[in-house]
Amino acid sequence: MKRIEYICPIDYVRGNISGRQPIEYEGGNAYSITDGDRVSSDNYQPRMVAAVRGLYSKRRVKYFSVRTKTTVNMTTKMRESMAIMGGAGALFASLIRNKEALIYAQCVAAKPKEMTLRAFVFPSLQEGLTAKAANIAIADGVSIVNPWVSSDTPNVPVDADVLDKFSSVLSN
C-alpha cells in the first residue's frame, strides 16, 4: 500500500486525481463490443487514484494506487445496464432541453423541494425502461412515453440514432 499525505487545509482526497480522459476501444465505444468479449482500451493513460480507509475512524489511512488499464468484459447483463443508463440519460437530457414543454413543468411541479430534478426523475426513468413500461410514471398524473415500447407520440422526443442504438435491448 502506498501512503499519501496532503498539506493543510486538505485533509483527504478520494477518487481519480489525474483527471478525465476519452477512452476508446477497438471498434469504437464500449457499447459496440460484442457479448462475451473482453477488450482493453487502446489509448488509456495511467491514472492516480487516491483512497481513504477508515474514513470516520481515528486511525484513518490515506493511500493511493496507479490504475494502468481499463477493460470491458461485455456480458448481456452489462449491455442491459448500459442501455438502461444511456436510455434514461437520453430521456432526461431531452426533458431538460425543452423547458417550455408541459411535461417539464409537470415534473418540476411534482418534484420535492429538497431534491434536484435529476435525483427525482432519473430513478423512475431507469425503473420504467427496465420494466419496459409503455408509460413511465414519474408522479401521480405525470408520465413519460417510452419511445422504445409505446407507439404513442413521445412527449419527450429522443434522437433516432439513440433510439436505434438501444432498441435491441430496450424495445419489446
Side-chain angles (χ1 to χ4, degrees):
M1 176 185 316
K2 300 168 189 118
R3 306 267 172 122
I4 190 169
E5 288 294 324
Y6 303 99
I7 61 172
C8 272
I10 299 171
D11 191 25
Y12 62 87
V13 176
R14 295 184 294 179
N16 176 6
I17 59 177
S18 299
R20 296 181 74 165
Q21 65 176 315
I23 298 175
E24 297 172 4
Y25 295 93
E26 184 180 311
N29 58 31
Y31 194 77
S32 64
I33 297 171
T34 57
D35 287 354
D37 283 354
R38 185 179 171 96
V39 179
S40 294
S41 174
D42 297 331
N43 67 333
Y44 192 82
Q45 299 295 317
R47 292 291 181 234
M48 187 149 112
V49 180
V52 179
R53 181 175 289 148
L55 180 60
Y56 301 107
S57 168
K58 290 182 181 180
R59 291 190 238 148
R60 182 182 312 161
V61 177
K62 298 168 245 177
Y63 62 98
F64 73 95
S65 63
V66 178
R67 187 183 314 148
T68 59
K69 64 181 176 178
T70 182
T71 303
V72 171
N73 183 14
M74 185 58 76
T75 62
T76 305
K77 185 74 173 160
M78 183 167 190
R79 182 173 309 283
E80 180 181 330
S81 295
M82 290 172 86
I84 290 168
M85 191 69 140
L91 284 169
F92 183 76
S94 179
L95 175 70
I96 63 170
R97 192 176 305 124
N98 189 2
K99 292 184 172 47
E100 290 80 31
L102 175 63
I103 187 68
Y104 178 81
Q106 290 174 331
C107 289
V108 169
K111 173 189 77 69
K113 290 188 188 325
E114 66 275 358
M115 293 181 81
T116 64
L117 186 61
R118 181 184 299 272
F120 177 66
V121 172
F122 213 81
S124 299
L125 293 174
Q126 288 177 307
E127 288 174 19
L129 292 176
T130 301
K132 297 187 179 186
N135 291 305
I136 302 168
I138 304 300
D140 288 338
V142 180
S143 64
I144 293 176
V145 176
N146 184 344
W148 286 278
V149 176
S150 179
S151 59
D152 294 344
T153 304
N155 54 357
V156 179
V158 176
D159 292 338
D161 58 332
V162 176
L163 288 172
D164 292 343
K165 183 176 186 175
F166 300 126
S167 66
S168 64
V169 176
L170 297 180
S171 63
N172 285 333

